[in-house]
Amino acid sequence: MFQRKIYNNGEYALNYLIDYPEDFNERENYPIIFFFHGMGSVRKGLNFIEKNCPVRRERIPNELPFIIIAPSCDDYMWFENTHNVITFIKDCIEWDFVDSDSVYLSGASMGGYFSWTLAALHPELFAAAVICCGAGPYFAANRIKFPVKVVAGALDTTVLPRESELMAERINATGGKAQFILYEDLGHNVWARIFGDQETYKWLIKNKKSKP
């Protein structure tokens, strides 16, 4: 069940949802997945995000004890607070109960664009990622060495699927591990399918920062 939280480091405040696994124990270490939503959820509040977040407990296999974090963008775009969001992510990773080798990144649409930015700026933070329908900084693709599932819909006219495909191509051309997934029957909303598939979470958990 999602809980509503406010992160405040004295300079920046961020509303976010967090869902702890069943039988959560602060003395243990858990994998953590961050999900960054798109423009459709901007300034809609945590109730809206809770209802629409595609990364949710009931879609994750019971044996995978992910902590889920879904922040809320209350500005126009995530990019307005890139530095502050990175600080938030780093502070979450430093929680005693987080396995810092099992930190996963995900996002969709505008959140997909932002996830690519985070991946390029701080690839050392993440073990793997699932990024949906977002364009990325092709010129920095060589920095992203962790595995990424790059997801797009062939019928998408909001973010052209070629944007995702190009990012995957550039990552692989520079020694990375990107898998491009194109859903021929879908448009923009590919996140419901990829995050509704339990195999997505099984794939994520296999990737560790300490075990490339």
Side-chain angles (χ1 to χ4, degrees), residues 109-145:
S109 195
M110 186 262 288
Y113 279 73
F114 188 61
S115 294
W116 281 126
T117 299
L118 295 174
L121 286 174
H122 287 280
E124 78 282 358
L125 296 179
F126 306 107
V130 179
I131 301 178
C132 302
C133 49
Y138 314 135
F139 53 86
N142 63 304
R143 291 175 53 83
I144 303 172
K145 300 302 183 187

Side-chain angles (χ1 to χ4, degrees), residues 13 32 34 45 58 68-69 78 111 118 134 143 150 171 176 178 184 187 192-193:
I32 189 168
F34 293 88
E58 60 266 28
I68 305 168
I69 291 187
W78 286 114
L118 295 174
R143 291 175 53 83
V150 187
I171 290 173
E184 296 287 350
R193 182 174 296 178

Side-chain angles (χ1 to χ4, degrees), residues 138 141 150 161-171 180:
Y138 314 135
V150 187
R162 181 59 180 154
E163 297 282 2
S164 296
E165 185 178 29
L166 277 172
M167 198 64 194
E169 288 175 357
R170 296 293 178 87
I171 290 173
F180 179 57

Side-chain angles (χ1 to χ4, degrees), residues 46-113:
L46 292 179
N47 286 338
F48 185 88
I49 294 171
E50 181 175 4
K51 181 180 178 181
N52 292 281
C53 182
V55 180
R56 48 200 320 115
R57 183 66 53 199
E58 60 266 28
R59 296 177 175 176
I60 299 175
N62 292 332
E63 69 273 16
L64 302 184
F66 282 99
I67 295 171
I68 305 168
I69 291 187
S72 172
C73 179
D74 296 321
D75 295 301
Y76 182 65
M77 291 191 296
W78 286 114
F79 300 97
E80 295 177 67
N81 286 292
T82 300
H83 172 74
N84 291 319
V85 173
I86 290 169
T87 300
F88 165 70
I89 292 171
K90 289 180 176 179
D91 285 351
C92 292
I93 293 172
E94 290 180 1
W95 291 338
D96 290 341
F97 49 81
V98 169
D99 178 359
S100 61
D101 286 332
S102 302
V103 179
Y104 306 102
L105 175 64
S106 65
S109 195
M110 186 262 288
Y113 279 73

Side-chain angles (χ1 to χ4, degrees), residues 9-27:
N9 64 4
E11 298 180 356
Y12 173 68
L14 177 68
N15 294 303
Y16 68 99
L17 298 172
I18 186 167
D19 187 346
Y20 299 99
E22 186 177 2
D23 300 323
F24 173 75
N25 185 338
E26 289 191 356
R27 296 180 181 178

